[in-house]
């Protein structure tokens, strides 16, 4: 495996081939992270510096070295370089002043990025025309922090994709493909014992943040409050999980009463989509087995998981993929679903 080192202007600095291990952890809703271990040599010391970029030949991602550790003792002589993927550059920027948002999540992400101080070499990617909407008001919040919230609200992934030949970085917003058994458009991908592609299996479910009924309150053109209820309105007892959605930031200007109500309903649906029962399923799998990683499935795709002896079948999104490179081999560990409760803290958005 060939590890390439670039400077922040995307100029090649050199190639490392004597690394002992690399953890390459791709994430759908936020920047990925990496950890590289290599022996301490004069050459490696010159390559592995804070601010330099790490990537692999043929890889579409790159990481920024943000942390360096040297360790030398009787048993060890090692450099450890760690950092996040390039979209972490958005953490360097602030959404300044007060900004009103009333559009699709995708457009909001692009517009909020464009309103910040430019990041060198970064350009906007093509629109995917994803239709989930968002509305409210934001002021003086870290750009990356808010981008991760928008991504979760819209079930969208985002990344900064470098083009080292053209010296550009593209801000890409994307959605994974549905590869479940319940559809017939894309090739189906199943992880199960019968396909021999499940090892070291861990499953977790958590309903602490779950809600299935949303009470939404907005304001009409006359200034009076307008409210709607969305979700599983027929649920009762302990099956009913209620939440409140403040949609007073939704503009009623130019909308008919029914159009305003539909906007409020959409706000409620968005809120409930962000408050599911959190389910995660993690396993090791063969990257070149019956379903080939990056060819048959990739980060963001929704696949079917079958675990017969647990009586479980779920359709879950691949939200993280850990690639582990050691001893000349690669192990792929996907995380399906969300490993933690996924309620989004909208405290800075009203």
């Amino acid at each position: 495996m060939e590890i390439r080192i670039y400077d922040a202007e995307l100029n090649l600095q050199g190639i490392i081939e004597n690394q002992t291990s690399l953890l390459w952890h791709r994430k759908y809703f936020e920047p990925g992270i990496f950890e590289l271990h290599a022996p301490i040599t004069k050459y490696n010391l010159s390559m592995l510096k804070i601010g330099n970029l790490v990537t692999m030949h043929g890889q579409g991602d790159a990481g920024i070295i943000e942390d360096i550790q040297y360790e030398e003792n009787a048993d060890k002589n090692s450099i450890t370089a760690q950092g996040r993927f390039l979209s972490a550059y958005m953490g360097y920027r602030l959404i300044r002043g007060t900004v009103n948002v009333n559009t699709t999540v995708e457009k909001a992400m692009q517009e909020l990025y464009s309103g910040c101080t430019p990041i060198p070499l970064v350009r906007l990617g093509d629109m995917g025309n994803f239709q989930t909407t968002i509305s409210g008001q934001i002021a003086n919040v870290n750009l990356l922090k808010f981008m991760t919230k928008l991504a979760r609200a819209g079930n969208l992934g985002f990344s900064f994709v470098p083009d080292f030949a053209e010296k550009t970085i593209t801000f890409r917003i994307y959605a994974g493909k549905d590869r479940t058994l319940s559809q017939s458009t894309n090739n189906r991908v199943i992880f199960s014992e019968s396909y021999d592609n499940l090892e070291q299996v861990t499953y977790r479910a958590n309903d602490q943040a779950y809600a299935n009924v949303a009470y939404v309150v907005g304001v009409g053109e006359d200034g009076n409050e307008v409210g709607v209820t969305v979700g599983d309105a027929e649920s009762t007892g302990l099956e009913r999980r209620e939440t409140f959605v403040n949609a007073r930031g939704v503009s009623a200007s130019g909308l008919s009463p029914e159009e305003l109500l539909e906007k409020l309903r959409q706000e409620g649906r968005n809120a409930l989509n962000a408050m599911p029962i959190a389910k995660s399923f993690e396993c090791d799998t063969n990257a070149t087995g019956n379903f080939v990683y990056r060819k048959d499935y990739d980060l963001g795709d929704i696949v079917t998981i079958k675990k017969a002896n647990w009586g479980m079948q779920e359709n879950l999104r691949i939200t993280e993929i850990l690639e582990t490179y050691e001893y000349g081999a690669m192990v792929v560990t996907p995380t399906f679903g969300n490993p933690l409760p996924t309620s989004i803290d909208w405290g800075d958005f009203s």
Side-chain angles (χ1 to χ4, degrees):
M1 178 184 56
E2 185 179 279
I3 295 176
R4 297 189 172 192
I5 308 300
Y6 291 82
D7 64 17
E9 287 74 44
L10 307 189
N11 299 307
L12 180 65
Q13 302 300 292
I15 295 171
I16 292 177
E17 295 183 286
N18 63 348
Q19 69 282 350
T20 55
S21 71
L22 174 64
L23 305 179
W24 198 255
H25 196 161
R26 303 171 67 208
K27 300 187 178 186
Y28 187 63
F29 295 122
E30 60 188 287
I33 57 177
F34 72 93
E35 182 175 310
L36 171 65
H37 296 263
I40 296 177
T41 66
K42 184 177 180 180
Y43 179 78
N44 288 348
L45 288 170
S46 70
M47 291 292 105
L48 300 178
K49 297 179 178 180
I50 285 180
N52 274 354
L53 309 184
V54 174
T55 190
M56 288 175 281
H57 181 56
Q59 173 72 263
D61 302 309
I64 316 152
I65 299 176
E66 299 176 303
D67 183 280
I68 288 284
Q69 178 177 311
Y70 304 153
E71 190 173 359
E72 187 174 63
N73 55 47
D75 301 315
K76 200 169 188 178
N77 173 45
S78 178
I79 303 174
T80 301
Q82 300 179 78
R84 295 173 293 170
F85 289 9
L86 292 187
S87 56
Y89 281 148
M90 287 195 284
Y92 301 0
R93 295 293 183 262
L94 187 70
I95 300 171
R96 293 178 294 173
T98 300
V99 180
N100 291 307
V101 176
N102 186 15
T103 184
T104 65
V105 170
E106 180 187 24
K107 287 181 180 178
M109 294 174 76
Q110 286 205 351
E111 290 172 2
L112 289 171
Y113 171 80
S114 298
C116 291
T117 305
I119 298 172
L121 307 183
V122 177
R123 63 186 184 186
L124 296 178
D126 294 335
M127 294 289 290
N129 297 315
F130 308 116
Q131 295 304 306
T132 303
T133 60
I134 194 80
S135 62
Q137 192 175 81
I138 187 75
N140 300 315
V141 171
N142 180 272
L143 177 64
L144 178 59
K145 174 184 174 184
F146 197 65
M147 284 292 186
T148 61
K149 294 181 181 183
L150 289 174
R152 287 188 180 277
N155 270 318
L156 298 173
F158 67 93
S159 64
F160 276 16
V161 182
D163 185 324
F164 294 103
E166 297 295 327
K167 301 290 189 291
T168 61
I169 300 171
T170 300
F171 175 24
R172 176 191 178 214
I173 302 170
Y174 66 101
K177 294 182 178 180
D178 185 350
R179 302 190 183 278
T180 63
L181 284 173
S182 58
Q183 57 80 45
S184 57
T185 302
N186 302 307
N187 66 294
R188 296 168 175 170
V189 175
I190 304 99
F191 287 85
S192 70
E193 292 100 331
S194 61
Y195 283 90
D196 197 27
N197 56 6
L198 289 181
E199 298 178 18
Q200 305 291 332
V201 181
T202 302
Y203 175 74
R204 180 183 177 188
N206 187 305
D207 72 349
Q208 291 177 357
Y210 172 62
N212 59 2
V213 178
Y215 297 102
V216 189
V217 172
V219 179
E221 281 200 295
D222 58 3
N224 292 324
E225 283 194 350
V226 180
V228 295
T229 302
V230 298
D232 187 6
E234 302 303 315
S235 60
T236 59
L238 298 180
E239 299 300 314
R240 189 179 181 91
R241 302 285 192 95
E242 301 175 342
T243 191
F244 174 75
V245 179
N246 181 354
R248 294 181 178 88
V250 174
S251 173
S253 178
L255 298 179
S256 69
E258 183 50 44
E259 287 173 334
L260 175 61
L261 290 177
E262 181 53 32
K263 277 244 177 201
L264 298 181
R265 292 186 193 103
Q266 185 59 52
E267 291 298 305
R269 289 191 287 267
N270 292 346
L272 293 179
N273 287 340
M275 302 177 71
I277 296 176
K279 297 178 181 179
S280 71
F281 194 98
E282 185 177 293
C283 69
D284 290 349
T285 190
N286 183 351
T288 58
N290 42 17
F291 298 110
V292 178
Y293 173 46
R294 291 185 182 268
K295 177 184 176 183
D296 296 316
Y297 69 93
D298 205 348
L299 184 68
D301 290 349
I302 305 171
V303 300
T304 297
I305 313 296
K306 287 184 177 182
K307 184 68 174 155
N309 62 341
W310 293 354
M312 192 186 92
Q313 178 170 320
E314 298 275 0
N315 294 331
L316 295 173
R317 186 183 299 279
I318 303 174
T319 52
E320 301 182 12
I321 297 180
L322 172 61
E323 303 172 13
T324 303
Y325 299 86
E326 288 181 319
Y327 310 113
M330 178 178 74
V331 174
V332 173
T333 305
T335 296
F336 309 92
N338 294 288
L340 295 172
T342 53
S343 176
I344 302 171
D345 178 7
W346 292 110
D348 43 23
F349 189 57
S350 59

